[in-house]
C-alpha cells in the first residue's frame, strides 16, 4: 500500500488518509483490487472498500434490554463493531446520563434542538473552531444553515464570526427568532452566576440567498467587517448540505482565494445533478462503470446501522417497504408520467391496512385518494412482504460502498488540484448516518488533521 503524506496506510487506525482504493494496488496474494464497479462480485472484500464510520472517542452500549454496558475501549473505537457499524447499538458518551440532552452542551444551546442535532452541531462546531484557529480564518460561512442551530453554537457558544446563508425565508425568520431567545437565555444564566464568562455575544448574520451549484455566489464571499491585516480569510461549512449544495461548497473553495478552509458534511446524494454533481474527479471519471444511477445514490442515503437494529428486533414498521412498493405500482398505473414521487412520511404504517396506506399515499403526491383499487392485487403485494424486506436489505448492503465512492470522488477532486484534504468520521453513525466530514485546506496541516477529529476534554 502507498502511504499518505502523514505516513499512514489508507486504513490505519480507522482514519481516512488521502489515497484509498488505488487502482493497480496489490494484495498479499497479488490479486489486483477490483474497480468500484466490480466490487459487488467480491463480497468477501467488500467491507475493506468502505470508509470507517465510527468516530473517535465513541463509547459503545449493549443492545436495548441487556443487563449492562461495556466500558470505552482504550483505542477510542468500539469494542464490538467494525467499519460497517456492526456489533450492537452504540450511544455517544454525552447521552449516557440523559438520552435527550447532551451533557456537553449547556441548557440554552439544547433548547429547541433534538438530540441528533445537538450531537451534530457540537461535534462539527468544535471541529470548525479548531480548523479556524489552525488556518487563521476571520469568518465562517455556514451554507444551507436552516434554522441556524450550528451558526448559533459557533457564534454565541464558540466565539466565531459567522455568516449564515439559507435560501428559505421562513427558516431564516425562525433562525432570527431563536437567536433572540438564546440571547435572553444566556443573559439569565449570566445574571444568576456573574462568574460565568460567556464568549463573544456576536450573533450570526443571516442572509436569504439561494446558492447556485454552478455560478459563484458573491454574497457568500462578502466579509462581515473589513480586516486591516492579511485580508479576509473564509472557512466554508455546511451541515448536511443537500445534493449539489455540497458540490457548490467545493467549487467555491477551489476557485476563490479568500476561501482558505472547508468543512463539509453532505447528504441527499440522489439530488446530485447528472452530470455536474458526480463525478468531480478525473480519477473516478476514468474508471470503467463509474456511473451511479438514481437508485444507487438514493440507497446510499439510508441508515444502515439503524436498519440493522430494526431487522434484529423484527420491528413491525419493516412493513413500510412492502406498502411503499405497492403504492408505487398504483401511482405508475394511474399517472405514468409521475416519476419518483416524494411521499411524505405516513405515521404508524404498521397499524394501517394496505389499502389505507395507498389512499393516504395517493393524497400526498396530489392524486385522487378515491381512485378505484384492485384489492386482490394489493393483497398479493402484501403477501410478498418478507421478500421485499430481503431485497431492500441486500440493496442496503451496497449503501456504504456507494457513499464511499461519492465521498472519495470529492476527496480526489480536491487533491487533484493540489489542496490538502481528508475525510473524518465525526458523528456517531447510529445518531447521524451521514457522518463523514470532508475537511480541506490550502496550507499543509500535517499531523494537525488528527486533532480535528478528537473530542475536546
Amino acid at each position: 500500500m502507498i502511504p499518505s503524506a502523514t505516513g499512514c496506510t489508507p486504513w490505519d487506525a480507522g482514519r481516512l488518509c488521502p489515497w484509498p482504493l488505488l487502482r493497480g494496488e496489490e494484495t498479499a496474494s497479488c490479486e489486483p483490487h477490483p474497480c468500484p464497479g466490480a466490487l459487488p462480485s467480491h463480497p468477501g472484500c467488500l467491507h475493506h472498500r468502505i470508509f470507517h464510520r465510527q468516530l473517535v472517542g465513541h463509547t459503545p452500549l449493549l443492545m436495548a434490554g441487556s443487563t449492562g454496558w461495556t466500558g470505552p475501549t482504550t483505542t477510542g473505537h468500539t469494542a464490538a463493531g467494525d467499519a460497517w457499524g456492526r456489533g450492537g447499538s452504540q450511544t455517544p458518551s454525552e447521552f449516557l446520563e440523559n438520552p435527550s440532552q447532551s451533557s456537553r452542551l449547556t441548557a440554552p444551546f439544547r433548547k429547541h434542538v433534538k438530540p441528533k442535532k445537538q450531537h451534530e452541531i457540537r461535534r462539527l462546531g468544535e471541529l470548525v473552531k479548531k480548523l479556524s484557529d489552525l488556518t487563521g480564518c476571520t469568518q465562517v460561512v455556514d451554507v444551507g444553515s436552516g434554522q441556524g442551530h450550528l451558526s448559533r453554537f459557533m457564534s454565541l457558544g464558540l466565539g466565531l464570526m459567522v455568516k449564515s446563508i439559507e435560501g428559505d425565508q421562513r427558516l431564516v425568520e425562525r433562525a432570527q427568532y431563536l437567536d433572540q431567545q438564546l440571547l435572553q437565555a444566556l443573559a439569565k444564566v449570566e445574571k444568576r452566576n456573574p462568574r460565568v464568562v460567556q464568549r463573544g455575544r456576536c450573533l450570526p448574520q443571516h442572509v436569504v440567498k439561494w446558492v447556485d451549484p454552478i455560478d459563484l455566489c458573491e454574497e457568500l464571499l462578502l466579509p462581515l467587517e473589513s480586516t486591516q491585516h492579511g485580508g479576509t480569510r473564509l472557512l466554508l461549512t455546511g451541515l448536511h448540505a443537500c445534493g449539489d449544495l455540497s458540490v457548490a461548497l467545493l467549487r467555491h473553495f477551489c476557485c476563490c482565494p479568500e476561501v482558505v478552509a472547508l468543512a463539509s458534511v453532505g447528504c441527499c446524494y440522489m439530488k446530485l445533478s447528472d452530470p455536474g454533481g458526480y463525478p468531480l474527479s478525473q480519477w473516478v471519471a476514468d474508471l470503467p462503470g463509474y456511473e451511479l444511477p438514481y437508485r444507487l445514490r438514493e440507497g446510499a442515503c439510508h441508515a444502515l446501522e439503524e436498519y440493522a437494529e430494526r431487522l434484529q428486533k423484527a420491528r413491525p414498521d419493516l412493513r413500510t417497504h412492502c406498502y411503499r412498493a405497492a403504492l408505487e405500482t398504483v401511482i405508475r398505473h394511474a399517472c405514468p408520467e409521475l416519476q419518483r414521487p416524494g411521499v411524505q412520511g405516513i405515521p404508524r404504517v404498521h397499524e394501517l391496512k394496505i389499502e389505507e396506506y395507498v389512499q393516504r399515499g395517493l393524497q400526498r403526491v396530489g392524486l385522487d385518494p378515491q381512485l378505484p383499487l384492485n384489492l386482490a392485487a394489493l393483497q398479493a403485494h402484501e403477501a410478498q412482504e418478507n421478500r421485499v424486506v430481503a431485497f431492500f436489505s441486500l440493496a442496503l448492503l451496497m449503501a456504504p460502498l456507494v457513499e464511499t465512492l461519492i465521498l472519495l470522488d470529492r476527496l480526489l477532486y480536491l487533491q487533484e488540484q493540489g489542496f490538502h484534504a481528508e475525510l473524518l468520521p465525526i458523528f456517531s453513525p447510529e445518531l447521524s448516518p451521514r457522518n463523514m466530514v470532508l475537511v480541506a485546506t490550502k496550507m499543509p496541516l500535517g499531523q494537525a488533521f488528527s486533532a480535528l477529529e478528537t473530542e475536546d476534554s
Side-chain angles (χ1 to χ4, degrees), residues 179-421:
D179 286 352
Q180 296 304 318
Q181 282 210 329
L182 179 57
L183 271 182
Q184 294 173 11
L186 292 176
K188 289 179 181 178
V189 171
E190 199 170 54
K191 186 176 181 179
R192 287 195 302 265
N193 188 357
R195 294 185 179 181
V196 175
V197 178
Q198 299 289 342
R199 305 192 205 199
R201 278 279 196 265
C202 183
L203 285 170
Q205 176 182 310
H206 297 281
V207 177
V208 181
K209 181 70 177 180
W210 178 263
V211 178
D212 189 277
I214 302 298
D215 299 327
L216 292 182
C217 175
E218 294 296 333
E219 177 60 50
L220 187 149
L221 303 174
L222 290 177
L224 293 174
E225 60 182 34
S226 59
T227 54
Q228 298 178 351
H229 305 289
T232 302
R233 296 174 63 85
L234 303 178
L235 188 159
L236 301 186
T237 190
L239 175 53
H240 294 142
C242 185
D244 287 334
L245 190 55
S246 292
V247 177
L249 292 182
L250 269 65
R251 292 195 170 117
H252 280 79
F253 171 81
C254 293
C255 298
C256 306
E258 55 267 65
V259 180
V260 298
L262 170 76
S264 171
V265 184
C267 73
C268 301
Y269 305 127
M270 69 283 195
K271 295 183 180 180
L272 289 170
S273 298
D274 186 14
Y278 168 89
L280 298 175
S281 70
Q282 190 60 49
W283 191 92
V284 171
D286 288 342
L287 288 175
Y290 69 83
E291 296 88 354
L292 293 176
Y294 177 92
R295 180 175 295 179
L296 281 177
R297 288 183 280 120
E298 192 275 336
C301 296
H302 288 282
L304 181 65
E305 290 79 11
E306 187 269 343
Y307 192 74
E309 183 179 350
R310 289 170 64 189
L311 285 175
Q312 288 175 329
K313 296 181 178 180
R315 282 168 43 178
D317 58 357
L318 290 170
R319 188 172 300 153
T320 303
H321 303 302
C322 181
Y323 280 18
R324 180 64 180 87
L327 171 61
E328 185 69 22
T329 61
V330 174
I331 291 174
R332 291 189 181 189
H333 178 75
C335 188
E337 65 274 14
L338 186 57
Q339 297 291 320
R340 304 189 188 105
V343 181
Q344 294 180 351
I346 299 175
R348 309 188 73 82
V349 171
H350 59 284
E351 296 180 359
L352 301 176
K353 294 180 179 179
I354 190 169
E355 59 269 25
E356 294 173 332
Y357 175 88
V358 170
Q359 289 170 341
R360 295 188 187 187
L362 288 172
Q363 188 172 19
R364 277 168 164 73
V365 298
L367 297 178
D368 182 4
Q370 300 304 319
L371 284 175
L373 300 176
N374 185 334
L375 292 182
L378 290 179
Q379 290 167 358
H381 281 300
E382 189 173 12
Q384 303 297 317
E385 176 182 335
N386 289 339
R387 297 182 68 182
V388 173
V389 170
F391 178 84
F392 184 82
S393 300
L394 290 173
L396 195 58
L397 287 174
M398 296 295 296
L401 177 63
V402 175
E403 182 176 33
T404 290
L405 182 56
I406 294 172
L407 296 178
L408 175 66
D409 173 55
R410 297 176 180 184
L411 179 74
L412 294 177
Y413 168 72
L414 295 174
Q415 292 183 340
E416 285 173 352
Q417 300 183 62
F419 302 121
H420 308 270

Side-chain angles (χ1 to χ4, degrees), residues 13-15 52 54-58 60 72-80 425 453:
R15 297 186 67 249
H52 196 291
Q54 291 296 348
L55 70 160
V56 172
H58 194 63
T73 63
T74 55
T75 61
H77 296 292
T78 55
E453 62 180 329

